Amino acid sequence: MIVGLGHAAQLAAQGLAQNSLHLLKCRNYLESRLVETFGNKLVINCKDSPRLPNTSNFAIFLENCRSVNMLERVEFIASKGAACHSHSTAKPSQILLNSGVSYEVAMNSIRVSLGIHNTIEDVDFIIEDLIRVTNELAHL
């Protein structure tokens, strides 16, 4: 039984490295598409800090596009702020503020977490959905 558990741990460790590379590829693709799409209206939080390979935290600054409004309309699952955020829409994430993110950016931040089953096509869907939502909100 102990040998079987050791073998299972070895397989999990091998999968972890592969999964991390896949997640990093998807996150980097997401962030490059965000920059390509929103340009100087985008801030990627903590980009130059060590981060989990599956998580991107960003803010988009376009007319009427506050993170709360955007999250009410998107067709993918995302959240406001940071993972430890209380989900209060009245206050920014203390985690982001402590990381050096400005109050305005922290108040408008969106966190997208990817999973091992997400694909580049899923990331393209996120981008297209963000384009749709920002266009809708710009015309309110």
Side-chain angles (χ1 to χ4, degrees):
M1 184 159 151
I2 292 175
V3 172
L5 183 59
H7 184 66
Q10 184 180 25
L11 291 174
Q14 289 170 351
L16 184 61
Q18 285 179 318
N19 291 341
S20 290
L21 287 174
H22 169 73
L23 292 167
L24 186 61
K25 176 183 171 187
C26 288
R27 186 197 71 200
N28 289 346
Y29 180 71
L30 170 65
E31 291 179 351
S32 70
R33 288 290 318 275
L34 285 166
V35 168
E36 179 183 298
T37 304
F38 298 105
N40 65 354
K41 302 295 183 183
L42 171 80
V43 174
I44 298 175
N45 297 321
C46 306
K47 185 174 180 165
D48 297 324
S49 299
R51 302 181 289 157
L52 293 172
N54 71 315
T55 306
S56 182
N57 194 299
F58 57 90
I60 299 171
F61 291 95
L62 293 169
E63 185 85 21
N64 295 326
C65 292
R66 303 301 297 169
S67 62
V68 174
N69 299 351
M70 292 172 65
L71 291 172
E72 290 173 347
R73 291 171 170 76
V74 294
E75 294 182 9
F76 59 92
I77 298 172
S79 59
K80 183 182 179 314
C84 301
H85 191 240
S86 68
H87 303 293
S88 167
T89 58
K91 295 180 183 178
S93 161
Q94 195 62 46
I95 303 298
L96 290 175
L97 294 174
N98 290 344
S99 298
V101 174
S102 74
Y103 183 91
E104 181 183 14
V105 172
M107 276 298 291
N108 203 43
S109 290
I110 295 172
R111 185 183 78 249
V112 173
S113 298
L114 301 165
I116 60 171
H117 299 293
N118 286 121
T119 64
I120 294 298
E121 290 78 17
D122 294 328
V123 173
D124 286 333
F125 175 82
I126 291 170
I127 297 299
E128 294 306 315
D129 201 35
L130 284 169
I131 291 168
R132 177 189 61 80
V133 168
T134 55
N135 285 336
E136 284 177 10
L137 290 171
H139 292 97
L140 288 182

